[in-house]
Amino acid sequence: VDRDKERGCKYEKYNIYGIILGFKAPYQTRRGDYMAEAVLIDETCTNPVTCLMFHRVRDNLAKLARMGDVLRIHRAELEVW
């Protein structure tokens, strides 16, 4: 059950571009899906932003190679924790 949808919350989709300052390789969570983490910055940010990416299939997560690369994420659903 999606409790946020039950409460009337609506997620908007965003396209995100940023330079990778740091990252963690994908790992399996307790729920069985995979999570990768990337710390991004661009000229519109004063502080770095941490992106947590989840997927059921590890190979479908972004391939994070090295710091300084540009990461492009399309149609992301954003949540603030």
Side-chain angles (χ1 to χ4, degrees):
V1 175
D2 189 339
R3 295 174 196 230
D4 289 333
K5 287 185 181 176
E6 287 179 357
R7 289 185 235 143
C9 294
K10 184 178 177 182
Y11 295 108
E12 293 187 33
K13 304 283 183 169
Y14 294 89
N15 296 320
I16 302 166
Y17 294 82
I19 297 170
I20 299 173
L21 293 180
F23 62 90
K24 290 184 183 175
Y27 62 91
Q28 194 166 24
T29 67
R30 287 182 282 199
R31 294 177 57 179
D33 53 352
Y34 290 89
M35 182 180 94
E37 181 177 328
V39 180
L40 306 175
I41 195 155
D42 75 356
E43 69 274 356
T44 65
C45 296
T46 55
N47 294 315
V49 175
T50 300
C51 293
L52 303 177
M53 299 164 278
F54 297 90
H55 203 282
R56 291 184 192 136
V57 179
R58 180 185 176 119
D59 290 339
N60 288 346
L61 288 168
K63 310 296 188 269
L64 305 175
R66 61 180 173 255
M67 293 185 299
D69 284 352
V70 175
L71 179 63
R72 176 181 75 171
I73 304 171
H74 288 275
R75 298 177 306 280
E77 293 181 1
L78 302 182
E79 295 181 40
V80 178
W81 291 21

